[in-house]
Amino acid sequence: MNPINPIYYGKNGIKEINNFIKKNKPSKIVFLVDENTHEFCYPQIISDIETDTEIEILEIEPGEENKNLYVCINLWEALTELKIDRKGLLINIGGGVLTDMGGFLASCYKRGIDFINIPTTLLAMVDASIGGKTGVDLGSHKNQIGAFSLPQMVAVDTGFLSTLPQEQILSGFAEIIKHGLIADKEYWKEIISLKEIQTEDLEKLIKTSIEIKKQVVSQDFTEGGLRKILNFGHTIGHAIESFFLENKNPVLHGEGVAMGMITESYISVKKGLLSHREYEEVKEYISSLYPKLDLKKEDFEDIFTFMQNDKKNTNNEIKFVLLENIGKAAYDISVDKDLIKEALYMYIDS
Ligand code: GLY
């Protein structure tokens, strides 16, 4: 077991950041924000930070289309102009785009400076900011360039969720659903029993989801095996996201993953794993929450091309994470093109 970095909740997060600064005495602190977190989250955070250390702010534009090497180069140049040395500390405040890219930025700058994540979206709280995956997209290929690198800590404050639009909550909620499906049937039942997604319920779900993710990552940090189960719904989901991104009509990550979880559950049935009854339960619940994506059968070849580039593939085979039943996933399962096509057509026709 490799325990991952500490995760602190609520006001404890800022308290621990202050302790970290006091103990480690960074030469400068740089906050990486986007336009939204600069306006809505940074003021609250900075008012609680206790330090005389010089502080700088770097701001990027929000959105997946800005998670790329060109933006990184600008930011590395900015860090250089600000004379940030190896004792500098980067604090990332934002959603998955920002924590993924900020972590990557810090990991490569002068071969690595300390960084801390303060996730402000549900998606970043339960997934992106936890577990040390950092990186950027390459063209339309999601997270094609990156590194495993753990932050010094993650500070989760669900208070930030109140500034989020409902569609962003729903996007992160797809990862919560995924955690139930791959690891814990009781958790799945708890999720589907909720009449609506309310902040009080989310606090508990966030902790359970983070616990599930921590358990998995601590057994397999660099994704040699077990960690792959966290990619359930993502083989098709990422390809769908890339497809829409390339066509200048991006969908939210959770929308792609929701569609991916339905189609990959269908494939699970066809592979003789998941029961038809459980598949119907998964499909019905996810379809009740997420909009149906506007796909056409003729889009399949383009989507399949993206799938061929999936990081989990080996020897030119597309490897899937599938469900054996609700609460248990299997990984490294080869699925042929015809079955993937059948799953996509099923989604389009249903
Ligand atoms: N988002 C999947 C993982 O962190 O492994």
Side-chain angles (χ1 to χ4, degrees), residues 267 300-305 307-308 318 320 334-345:
I267 294 173
F300 174 72
E301 288 300 332
D302 287 348
I303 294 166
F304 187 72
T305 304
M307 260 179 251
Q308 286 174 310
I318 302 196
F320 276 76
S334 299
V335 177
D336 62 36
K337 186 173 173 180
D338 284 347
L339 182 50
I340 301 170
K341 191 190 228 175
E342 184 183 324
L344 198 88
Y345 281 19

Side-chain angles (χ1 to χ4, degrees), residues 1-169:
M1 291 277 264
N2 274 318
I4 64 168
N5 56 273
I7 297 160
Y8 300 106
Y9 294 93
K11 287 290 167 211
N12 246 350
I14 293 290
K15 196 173 114 209
E16 292 297 337
I17 293 175
N18 282 330
N19 288 342
F20 179 89
I21 295 170
K22 213 177 281 167
K23 184 161 166 247
N24 292 277
K25 302 186 178 38
S27 50
K28 276 190 190 176
I29 301 170
V30 181
F31 284 91
L32 181 66
V33 291
D34 65 26
E35 284 164 9
N36 299 326
T37 59
H38 196 171
E39 186 177 347
F40 298 111
C41 309
Y42 176 78
Q44 197 178 318
I45 292 165
I46 197 64
S47 68
D48 289 335
I49 296 280
E50 298 157 359
T51 184
D52 296 330
T53 313
E54 206 177 316
I55 285 175
E56 306 282 358
I57 303 174
L58 292 178
E59 184 190 289
I60 59 169
E61 285 177 36
E64 186 76 32
E65 58 278 23
N66 299 302
K67 187 177 139 181
N68 59 54
L69 281 172
Y70 302 104
V71 174
C72 277
I73 290 171
N74 288 338
L75 292 167
W76 281 316
E77 282 173 352
L79 292 174
T80 307
E81 272 163 33
L82 292 170
K83 300 196 170 32
I84 304 304
D85 62 23
R86 290 184 89 175
K87 282 281 286 176
L89 170 67
L90 184 72
I91 303 185
N92 302 315
I93 308 176
V97 167
L98 202 129
T99 58
D100 279 6
M101 186 157 71
F104 182 63
L105 201 68
S107 316
C108 300
Y109 182 73
K110 299 195 173 174
R111 298 207 179 87
I113 60 170
D114 286 345
F115 70 101
I116 288 173
N117 285 337
I118 306 184
T120 57
T121 63
L122 183 57
L123 180 66
M125 287 178 195
V126 294
D127 189 35
S129 75
I130 312 284
K133 278 190 180 174
T134 73
V136 292
D137 302 337
L138 183 68
S140 308
H141 295 283
K142 297 248 320 154
N143 304 324
Q144 189 80 340
I145 310 294
F148 288 100
S149 177
L150 283 170
Q152 300 304 311
M153 69 176 78
V154 182
V156 177
D157 185 345
T158 53
F160 292 125
L161 297 179
S162 60
T163 62
L164 272 192
Q166 186 59 18
E167 56 170 26
Q168 288 288 344
I169 298 280

